[in-house]
Amino acid sequence: MRPKLVSEALYDYIVENSSPVDEFQQRLIGRTAQVGERARMQIGTAQGTLFTLLTQLMSARAVIEVGTFTGYSALAIAKGLPADGRLLTCDVNEEWAGIAQEAWKEAGVADRIDLRIGPALDTLRSLPATPDWDLAFIDADKDNYLAYYEELVPRIRPGGALLVDNVLWFSTVVDDPEGEGALMRRVNAHIAADPRVDEVILPIGDGVSLVRKKA
């Protein structure tokens, strides 16, 4: 997904001068395009590369993802995990999850990924409320973003991080702040005011908040 404020030519330049995606990611992009209009839910390649690098930079071993879709973000994160690392990913759509599982198997990372089908809040609340996780990524139904965030923060270790997608919501957070952008404005304001974390919004994709849990 190209951010609204970045021209197509500039975005292409960014992608061309970033680490390339591998054959398995390219194949998954092609499969996802076949699901139709919903294919736009897939994160962009630059965003996926960022997730791989961040996972590696943090030496993350335990990651939670809320919102699997066809598995591209999970694949990007799993690429950055060590062989004994694990990614717990949550979704409710079994058809899309089937595409994801096939892609993970082909890429050789399926053994690092635990897919849970069912409401993500139920999955999160079933986990111990202890700071056992290094990294989390939220990219699911926007109405529950704050609920997901509040479940995840206590479960992230001090110095760990959360990534929150779509925080600019196609620039409506400033173009339509009382209408379509209102929900994400509330999410962003809540995170920015949270004394437990430090945060920066990155203008990549549709906006990604990088949130670090304080020690």
Side-chain angles (χ1 to χ4, degrees):
M1 181 183 298
R2 178 174 63 86
K4 183 177 179 180
L5 298 180
V6 176
S7 70
E8 184 173 353
L10 185 56
Y11 181 74
D12 289 344
Y13 178 83
I14 291 170
V15 172
E16 289 167 6
N17 288 275
S18 299
S19 296
V21 300
D22 63 31
E23 61 179 300
F24 305 108
Q25 291 172 301
Q26 289 282 14
R27 199 174 302 164
L28 180 54
I29 290 169
R31 287 180 186 157
T32 303
Q34 297 174 13
V35 307
E37 183 182 351
R38 292 297 185 94
R40 65 187 180 88
M41 293 166 50
Q42 186 174 69
I43 65 169
T45 56
Q47 197 170 335
T49 300
L50 171 66
F51 291 1
T52 301
L53 293 176
L54 183 62
T55 302
Q56 293 170 327
L57 286 167
M58 293 181 63
S59 298
R61 305 178 71 85
V63 184
I64 300 179
E65 176 183 62
V66 179
T68 311
F69 188 40
T70 58
Y72 190 88
S73 52
L75 177 55
I77 292 168
K79 283 182 60 177
L81 288 171
D84 61 347
R86 61 172 174 150
L87 167 62
L88 170 62
T89 184
C90 312
D91 210 292
V92 294
N93 190 302
E94 293 190 30
E95 180 181 355
W96 292 339
I99 297 172
Q101 288 176 302
E102 184 177 349
W104 301 335
K105 183 177 180 180
E106 289 179 356
V109 297
D111 60 336
R112 304 175 197 175
I113 303 175
D114 178 8
L115 172 65
R116 305 283 181 92
I117 297 295
L121 281 175
D122 291 347
T123 299
L124 296 179
R125 289 168 179 164
S126 72
L127 301 173
T130 51
D132 301 325
W133 300 84
D134 301 307
L135 179 65
F137 176 44
I138 302 174
D139 184 19
D141 54 306
K142 310 313 173 197
D143 288 342
N144 278 317
Y145 259 36
L146 286 179
Y148 297 141
Y149 175 82
E150 287 300 327
E151 290 297 331
L152 285 166
V153 170
R155 293 173 169 84
I156 297 295
R157 64 167 173 81
L162 296 91
L163 296 160
V164 185
D165 201 21
N166 302 115
V167 296
L168 299 181
W169 202 235
F170 306 101
S171 295
T172 60
V173 288
V174 292
D175 294 343
D176 188 16
E178 303 301 322
E180 193 169 347
L183 175 59
M184 291 313 302
R185 284 180 67 92
R186 288 196 296 274
V187 170
N188 294 335
H190 180 88
I191 297 173
D194 188 348
R196 298 171 294 179
V197 303
D198 294 311
E199 177 209 16
V200 63
I201 293 178
L202 305 175
I204 186 171
D206 189 31
V208 179
S209 282
L210 173 57
V211 184
R212 178 185 178 274
K213 185 174 177 180
K214 295 178 181 177

